[in-house]
Amino acid sequence: MGTSLRYDKWLLELTQLPTAAGCEQHVTDWVRSWARRRKGVTLKADRFGNLLLERRGSRSKRPIIFTAHMDHPAFVVTEQMEDRRVRAEFRGGVFDAYFVGSKVRLHPREGLASVGVIKKLEPARSDSGDRSVVVVFRSRVNAAPGDIMTWHIGSARIQGDQLRAPACDDLAGVAAALAAFDVLGPSSRRLGLDVRVLLTRAE
């Protein structure tokens, strides 16, 4: 696979992963798998789940660090109200007009994804300021607190020079940071550069 096609593949895979502030596990799993397949790359995580990728043996007081965050505005399930009704809080900044009537996709930890429609937008119920929605599905779903729901806009795809994907900001940034890290590769050490990637949670 050519270099450009390989980076496009990373971009498409990452930008269709379900993610939300505090629920970035699908992205961190992808990045961990990516790092394991690369010789000489080390990955460290702090107690909050932020990830730092480095080249083994690189040391500098002034490293070059590419950074991106691993979350995106999305819904996190708080309650299954009935067989076909789910309440979720929305984590992110989106105007109210985009909620009621819009389709969302539930990504349960077990079972297949399901598409539902937002029927109600509720004001924030806690100090976090996160609004809640009530989503209705056509058939029974098995939703659990912590499951992620995303806007339903189809799979990630590149059309001409545009990317259309469920989670561009900032998973496209994650793909770009990893591609830059990969382009520089081991040659960065020969050039005297200490290049790293810092991927953060809960922007």
Side-chain angles (χ1 to χ4, degrees):
M1 182 183 295
T3 301
S4 178
L5 290 177
R6 181 167 72 249
Y7 297 152
D8 285 352
K9 180 175 181 288
W10 298 353
L11 177 65
L12 293 172
E13 288 180 357
L14 279 163
T15 56
Q16 62 188 11
L17 291 175
T19 187
C23 297
E24 298 91 345
Q25 60 271 13
H26 297 286
V27 182
T28 59
D29 287 349
W30 191 98
V31 174
R32 288 179 183 278
S33 176
W34 183 93
R36 282 196 298 269
R37 297 193 302 271
R38 273 151 187 84
K39 185 177 179 181
V41 173
T42 63
L43 184 150
K44 300 175 183 176
D46 66 14
R47 63 192 180 95
F48 302 105
N50 302 306
L51 305 179
L52 179 66
L53 293 101
E54 303 173 290
R55 299 246 171 231
R56 192 170 292 120
S58 296
R59 291 292 180 270
S60 171
K61 292 182 179 180
R62 301 187 67 181
I64 297 171
I65 303 177
F66 298 107
T67 185
H69 58 88
M70 298 182 286
D71 57 311
H72 182 273
F75 309 83
V76 178
V77 172
T78 56
E79 174 189 5
Q80 177 148 359
M81 305 164 70
E82 301 168 1
D83 284 354
R84 299 188 303 113
R85 296 171 70 86
V86 172
R87 176 176 281 117
E89 67 179 17
F90 182 73
R91 300 180 183 177
V94 172
F95 292 123
D96 289 356
Y98 291 100
F99 287 85
V100 176
S102 295
K103 292 182 178 180
V104 295
R105 178 179 288 270
L106 169 67
H107 302 270
R109 274 163 279 189
E110 296 183 6
L112 300 175
S114 301
V115 176
V117 177
I118 298 173
K119 294 297 185 180
K120 185 179 180 182
L121 175 64
E122 301 174 334
R125 307 174 74 189
S126 67
D127 294 337
S128 69
D130 294 327
R131 294 156 291 174
S132 291
V133 296
V134 175
V135 179
V136 176
F137 297 85
R138 287 187 176 181
S139 57
R140 186 180 188 279
V141 294
N142 290 308
D147 284 349
I148 301 170
M149 287 195 296
T150 58
W151 302 103
H152 178 54
I153 63 169
S155 299
R157 64 250 186 226
I158 296 173
Q159 297 179 333
D161 60 355
Q162 291 187 340
L163 168 69
R164 297 179 181 272
C168 295
D169 178 11
D170 194 21
L171 297 190
V174 173
L178 294 177
F181 186 71
D182 187 71
V183 165
L184 290 169
S187 63
S188 59
R189 292 177 62 186
R190 293 196 300 273
L191 298 172
L193 301 175
D194 178 5
V195 178
R196 309 177 190 182
V197 175
L198 174 64
L199 303 176
T200 61
R201 298 183 61 213
E203 179 196 17

